Amino acid sequence: MVGTEQAHSGSPKSKLSRIYGIASFAVLCSIVAFISYMVYEGSANGTAELCGNAFGQLIVWSIILFFFRKKLDVNQRLAIACLATSAYILFDKRQDIQVAFDTKEARGVMANAKGVDPVQLSSQHPNNRLLRAIADANKASLASQERLQALDTGAEPSTLGEDFGSDAPRSKLIVYRDAARTAASNSRSARAAIDGIFREEADRLRTQLREYMPNGMVSSTLEGQRKRHLRDSLLLQRYWDARIEFYDVIEKRVAHLVDNFGQYTTEKSGKITYAANEAAARHNALLKEQAAAIEKIESAQNAVTQAQMYYKEGWERLTSGGGG
């Protein structure tokens, strides 16, 4: 009996099944290494997760094939388990692998695409998912910027662009005061609309990306967008807070002129002289508040402009081989 088993274990069929087992295990290891390099770029966390998935699949297939032990020896079961696990991993990571190839291609394309916008690059390489994702994100961002710009230009009534002069009739002062009040109200509405605009942009981009990107890439892209939205939202809120403060001060200042109409004189230089010292002090205090509000607007506007330039320069670095 012992001699029979030894002879069986050394038979050509047994040796062949052993070769199959070792070869299939080598194939599995090669696929894991390939995906680790291409998809996770050697990341320890990504590779560990991939190896964990592969090991789990091997265990599952080993349990299933254990019930076929009478028909299959251990090497044959190992070969089948390794090949099945390899097929599963390749199928499960098929989108990630494609994105990895697209990423490699996109890096090469963007390194020599200075002066070309994302939409043009995507149209030139329609099958590249990464370039398509960048183009979709860019279009969604531009749509939001147009809406934000519309809020900016629509907040201030045209009346505030006119020089009313402190010697204007009382009726005109009232119109100007009301226009400042309307501008402040519009600015508060614009400030409140910022988060909603960014939220709609994120929802639109999420829907687009899910059509052709794996979930992991969708999440990472949206996370980058979320961080940008957070930065931009804080900057824009600061900007609109300054605008609101400015219009509130304008309303108070013109209302002060309306309330004291006929009790002050205006010199040719524009200087206003009040009959009452208390009214003059109030007027001077409002002028200081107005000057401070203007400084806040200019500071906030500069911060917004710098952020926009940073994003633009970031794309220029990407498309000139300078990195992100």
Side-chain angles (χ1 to χ4, degrees), residues 18 31 57 61 72 83 112 115 149 154 157 173 193-194 213 255 311:
R18 188 179 298 113
I31 290 174
Q57 283 296 312
W61 280 105
L72 302 170
L83 292 176
N112 299 285
Q149 185 61 39
L173 291 176
I194 294 171
M213 294 288 279
Y311 298 138

Side-chain angles (χ1 to χ4, degrees), residues 106-118 121 134 231 306-324:
R107 286 173 178 169
V109 170
M110 289 189 295
N112 299 285
K114 188 173 183 179
V116 182
D117 66 53
L121 279 184
I134 294 173
R231 290 192 297 266
Q306 288 175 3
Q308 292 172 342
M309 289 298 298
Y310 174 79
Y311 298 138
K312 181 180 179 181
E313 290 171 357
W315 174 251
E316 290 176 350
R317 287 194 297 274
L318 276 174
T319 55
S320 61

Side-chain angles (χ1 to χ4, degrees), residues 203-214:
D203 291 342
R204 183 166 56 252
L205 182 59
R206 181 183 297 106
T207 300
Q208 291 176 319
L209 293 181
R210 282 177 174 172
E211 294 178 359
Y212 57 89
M213 294 288 279

Side-chain angles (χ1 to χ4, degrees), residues 180 184 188 243-253:
R188 289 184 173 90
R243 287 271 295 264
I244 292 167
E245 182 179 342
F246 172 73
Y247 293 132
D248 283 344
V249 173
I250 291 293
E251 179 189 352
K252 292 176 185 177
R253 183 172 163 235

Side-chain angles (χ1 to χ4, degrees), residues 58-118:
L58 271 177
I59 295 297
V60 170
W61 280 105
S62 296
I63 293 173
I64 294 173
L65 292 170
F66 178 77
F67 296 100
F68 296 87
R69 62 187 183 278
K70 292 183 178 180
K71 296 182 178 180
L72 302 170
D73 63 31
V74 64
N75 291 310
Q76 290 171 329
R77 296 200 301 272
L78 174 63
I80 294 173
C82 288
L83 292 176
T85 300
S86 299
Y88 169 81
I89 291 176
L90 287 173
F91 179 79
D92 184 55
K93 299 296 181 181
R94 64 193 187 283
Q95 285 190 319
D96 297 288
I97 295 171
Q98 181 61 54
V99 169
F101 281 111
D102 288 345
T103 301
K104 185 176 181 180
E105 179 191 19
R107 286 173 178 169
V109 170
M110 289 189 295
N112 299 285
K114 188 173 183 179
V116 182
D117 66 53

Side-chain angles (χ1 to χ4, degrees), residues 209-261:
L209 293 181
R210 282 177 174 172
E211 294 178 359
Y212 57 89
M213 294 288 279
N215 290 333
M217 290 295 294
V218 172
S219 299
S220 62
T221 301
L222 292 176
E223 177 62 17
Q225 184 194 58
R226 186 192 66 80
K227 292 179 180 179
R228 177 175 61 81
H229 283 171
L230 180 60
R231 290 192 297 266
D232 289 352
S233 179
L234 292 174
L235 289 174
L236 290 171
Q237 287 173 6
R238 175 186 165 194
Y239 169 73
W240 283 109
D241 284 341
R243 287 271 295 264
I244 292 167
E245 182 179 342
F246 172 73
Y247 293 132
D248 283 344
V249 173
I250 291 293
E251 179 189 352
K252 292 176 185 177
R253 183 172 163 235
V254 180
H256 184 67
L257 292 174
V258 173
D259 294 341
N260 292 276
F261 193 79

